[in-house]
Amino acid sequence: MNQVKNRFFSFGLLAMALASLGWGASVAAREPSFIMSQGAVAGAAGADGSVISQTNAARARHGLPPLAVDSQLMNSARNHAQWMASNRNLSHGHSVAENIAMGQASASEAVRSWMNSSGHRANMLGSGYTRIGVAVAYSSNGTPYWCQQFR
């Protein structure tokens, strides 16, 4: 099992390297892709940065401090979102508090879905959490798989 995970992770690193060189089109056609997290929201950009911003805005509306982007959680969320997309399997990991979703076309839709679910909302507004990691990955048929993790 670890060999399979290591090969999958290695392929993911290769795919990221190829994508950064502009060779992502041929890789993306065969394997799920995921949004890189560098930039805007203290280490997050794109859809993941938007989820973090919207989560922190919801926390602010409830008088809670913002969650800090955690690089380990970002990596963990990326790996889990990638696994779910590759396997077309919406299921929780086992190591951290986590919100997952499938099929929402945008970060706003994913956040709205989570906020409309009492358990997911409780994670997002949990006063005991101080850190967050977020990712979205796409299955080979284009279905988005979202993962939000908290510590």
Side-chain angles (χ1 to χ4, degrees), residues 18-34:
L18 291 174
S20 72
L21 295 172
W23 297 349
S26 62
V27 173
R30 292 187 307 275
E31 293 297 322
S33 61
F34 55 92

Side-chain angles (χ1 to χ4, degrees), residues 128-144:
Y129 299 126
T130 60
R131 302 196 171 279
I132 189 171
V134 174
V136 60
Y138 296 90
S139 68
S140 58
N141 71 356
T143 302

Side-chain angles (χ1 to χ4, degrees), residues 59-146:
R59 289 176 62 83
R61 286 191 299 275
H62 289 85
L64 296 165
L67 300 169
V69 175
D70 182 294
S71 62
Q72 289 179 334
L73 288 176
M74 293 298 287
N75 288 332
S76 177
R78 266 189 228 116
N79 289 339
H80 191 60
Q82 185 73 26
W83 180 88
M84 289 189 299
S86 293
N87 293 285
R88 294 186 189 179
N89 183 341
L90 184 68
S91 61
H92 284 283
H94 301 290
S95 60
V96 294
E98 178 179 77
N99 289 344
I100 57 174
M102 177 188 82
Q104 290 80 358
S106 68
S108 295
E109 283 184 36
V111 170
R112 188 171 31 258
S113 293
W114 288 326
M115 287 299 286
N116 288 328
S117 162
S118 61
H120 295 107
R121 181 183 174 97
N123 280 341
M124 293 172 69
L125 301 179
S127 61
Y129 299 126
T130 60
R131 302 196 171 279
I132 189 171
V134 174
V136 60
Y138 296 90
S139 68
S140 58
N141 71 356
T143 302
Y145 287 78
W146 301 85

